[in-house]
Amino acid sequence: SAVISQKPSRDICQRGTSLTIQCQVDSQVTMMFWYRQQPGQSLTLIATANQGSEATYESGFVIDKFPISRPNLTFSTLTVSNMSPEDSSIYLCSVAIRGLGTQYFGPGTRLLVL
Amino acid sequence: AQKITQTQPGMFVQEKEAVTLDCTYDTSDQSYGLFWYKQPSSGEMIFLIYQGSYDEQNATEGRYSLNFQKARKSANLVISASQLGDSAMYFCAMRDNTGGFKTIFGAGTRLFVKA
């Protein structure tokens, strides 16, 4: 299994500011994803983080709001830009390896925007 | 379009009894995977079990088994001998295994285990 760490684990931010969340995996993985879980809701895929190229965003999510980087096979960042209270959620990093029937999640970053 | 449906918002089970959590899916893909995750109050997503669309036998992991009925497009999770620690939110998820390898989630079922 892959061990995934995320920083920060939680944060309280003021509206209009930005927060960058880091995701580190202990082994090289094929796929990295970012999910959002709003309070009391299920998980929604934000984007697929592609190594060395622009992320692939899902409908309803745009690069200007959620810029993502993935410089190598073990690290990715998600920035939540120009935050509003509606961005208060848990943000989760997830990894998978093609050909393997597993997908793991990081511990999540709990974000509260005031 | 892919879709995952969990119709049970909440379920109660007596400790030591078995419980089935329902999940149906819709996809036009031939190769896909089905997952179940447990999310306790701490918020972490714990991987429980995986079933590939080409797997002929139902997946089992300890007390967890996945009742895969491909023709009916269902992938129910069976938890045997429920424990108090099984009280949590359970999510069914589906991944396309050929294209973007993206995983989508159902709405979840909250399981309460009674002593």
Side-chain angles (χ1 to χ4, degrees), chain A residues 63-86:
Chain A
I63 187 171
D64 290 346
K65 177 67 176 177
F66 297 101
I68 289 170
S69 77
R70 187 181 175 191
N72 56 51
L73 290 175
T74 63
F75 185 79
S76 178
T77 66
L78 167 74
T79 299
V80 186
S81 303
N82 188 25
M83 289 184 285
S84 67
E86 292 71 35

Side-chain angles (χ1 to χ4, degrees), chain B residues 3 7-8 19 23 28 33-34 39 41 44-45 49 55 57 69 71 73-74 76 91-92 96 98 104 107-108 113:
Chain B
K3 187 177 180 181
T7 57
Q8 305 156 313
V19 62
C23 174
S28 56
L34 296 155
Q39 188 177 46
S41 56
E44 60 187 310
M45 290 290 288
I49 198 166
D55 296 339
Q57 300 217 344
Q69 299 192 34
K73 293 188 175 179
S74 73
N76 299 337
F91 291 101
C92 179
D96 78 274
T98 54
I104 61 170
V113 180

